[in-house]
Amino acid sequence: MTDTAPTAIPPSSQLTLPDGRVEISPDAPVPSGPYANEDLLPVPVEKRTWNTYNFSALWVGMAHNTASWTLASGLIAVGMDWKQAVLTIALANVIVLVPMLLTGHAGPKYGIPFPVFARASFGVRGANLPAVVRALVACGWFGIQTWIGGEAIYFLAGKLIGDSWANASHVGGYAWTMWLSFAIFWAIQVAIIYRGMETIRRFENWAAPFVLLGAGVMLWWMASKAGGFGPLLDQPSKVGYGADFWKIFAPALMGMIGFWSTLSLNIPDFTRYGKSQKAQTWGQALGLPTTMTLFAFLSVMVTSGSQAVYGEAIWDPVQLAAKTDNVFGLLFALVTVLVATLSVNVAANLVSPAFDFSNIAPRKISFRAGALATCVLGVLIFPWKLYSDPQGYIFTWLGLVGGLLGTVAGILIADYWILRRGKLDLADLYRAGGRYWYDNGWNWRAVVAFLVGGVLAVGGANFAPLIDGRPIPALSSLADYGWAVGLGTSMVLYLVLMLATGQGRTGTREEAQV
């Protein structure tokens, strides 16, 4: 088959059920060719079984991890008090829930993952652009989580082995035993990839409540050392509520949104298993804002307590746990971190980029190969630099991530909801020469909207500690609002370009045909 030879699959080959869900008609051929493989094909309706509880439980498992902890406690470290930090995180998660639900809609309706969903707007080939961008972001998250897991092994082994391990000679700014711990945790995850995902899925059934219990124990321990909860609540804000607060509030808010901006795109990878739109809508609405706010409250309270007890805000829970003299308590805390990081990292940061890399060449790159590529790139992205300080972690890494992925979200939402009115042709998503083929597989309008929105969103950002300075200083005033700028700019520009070139009528034709 050549790329320009369309398969003979008409739009009527898909079947719409009374509840609105769509699948390939039983008597129609299954999409095949260079743009389809088993992992990318629509999930059959009978296998779309996730209910409201399943989606809520997914978010409980996602939120109860060390990265979420450091996200919240990092706001204390940069000067906020606990009320400001919790409010910022709660507001951010309510905001990011909106694109999460909008992009997640195509999952239960059509049973397709994110890379296939993106083909409708970027083109069958062009979808590789947002897929690879998102995959690289996931690689960054995988690396950060692996570094956190390595820290847990390092401190745990240090307590068991002694000073010879903890005070080993340094290489590249860290003890060589820390690098060894990082490598061990990385290798554990690679081994799991070869053994399959079922073990991790079983972990997730109990890892989330176990981590929540661990956070509660850490809060009780910190409160007892501080002499009660009063000192935890009384720690004042270093920035107040004046101009100094607003200077960090906007970039912090965008950083909090950026934390889940990856999942706001790849949420179809999970919602494609939903039994209804109601299940994914209520499951996410009940699971995401509430869970994140509760976990944020626990983490900022503990970090605020560390400020009262030790005179400084210790935002890394592994570093904080290492201060206890109780060996049992330390082991409990670090094992909790280890288990939670392992379960969340493999499920959240390997599954989706594996789909993305597979989408590049479906017949050549398997799901396993895509996951292994993620593991390697997760090291090459230097996660220890991203995680080294809250300033770089929140304002640089999360800000850049949010700005770029907000741009993709704006294009997807504009295309699916405004131009196509929620109507897609499943067969054409997998074939050359169809309505999503555009110009040799690429929709240049989406690419232009992505590039312009991305430049405006992150061009004026401070890239430290990655690089010195701002690439485009004239855009610095937009940098604090990167996610919103990227989403809004790309959405408007994409609509203008599509309508100006006559592509806006596509949605009307599809609505009549589907």
Side-chain angles (χ1 to χ4, degrees), residues 147-238:
W147 184 257
I148 292 170
E151 270 194 328
I153 293 177
Y154 171 73
F155 284 112
L156 180 59
K159 286 293 182 180
L160 297 176
I161 298 175
D163 291 342
S164 62
W165 177 275
N167 299 324
S169 58
H170 281 218
V171 176
Y174 296 93
W176 68 264
T177 47
M178 177 63 220
W179 292 112
L180 177 60
S181 300
F182 175 62
I184 290 172
F185 193 70
W186 182 90
I188 290 172
Q189 294 171 108
V190 172
I192 290 172
I193 294 170
Y194 276 96
R195 296 187 61 183
M197 300 291 291
E198 288 304 316
T199 300
I200 285 299
R201 290 193 179 109
R202 287 193 292 269
F203 276 172
E204 291 188 29
N205 290 332
W206 56 269
F210 185 58
V211 175
L212 186 60
L213 174 63
V217 171
M218 189 169 284
L219 176 61
W220 170 81
W221 168 62
M222 188 55 59
S224 64
K225 289 187 71 68
F229 287 97
L232 277 63
L233 297 170
D234 291 340
Q235 290 298 309
S237 170
K238 295 180 180 178

Side-chain angles (χ1 to χ4, degrees), residues 114-115 118 122 126-141 261-262 265-266 352-353 356-357 359-360 377 381 397 400-409 442 447 450-451 454 458:
F114 163 76
F122 281 84
N128 285 320
L129 174 61
V132 169
V133 169
R134 193 204 61 162
L136 292 177
V137 170
C139 291
W141 278 122
S261 60
T262 303
L265 295 183
N266 74 273
S352 293
D356 293 333
F357 289 130
N359 188 68
I360 297 174
L377 291 173
I381 206 165
W397 167 245
L400 295 179
V401 166
L404 289 176
L405 297 188
T407 301
V408 177
W442 288 77
V447 175
F450 170 76
L451 293 176
V458 304

Side-chain angles (χ1 to χ4, degrees), residues 31 64 80 92 94 97-98 104 115 162 197 211 235 261 314 331 393 404 427:
H64 293 169
M80 289 189 181
V94 170
L97 178 65
V98 176
M197 300 291 291
V211 175
Q235 290 298 309
S261 60
I314 303 174
L331 294 179
Y393 178 55
L404 289 176

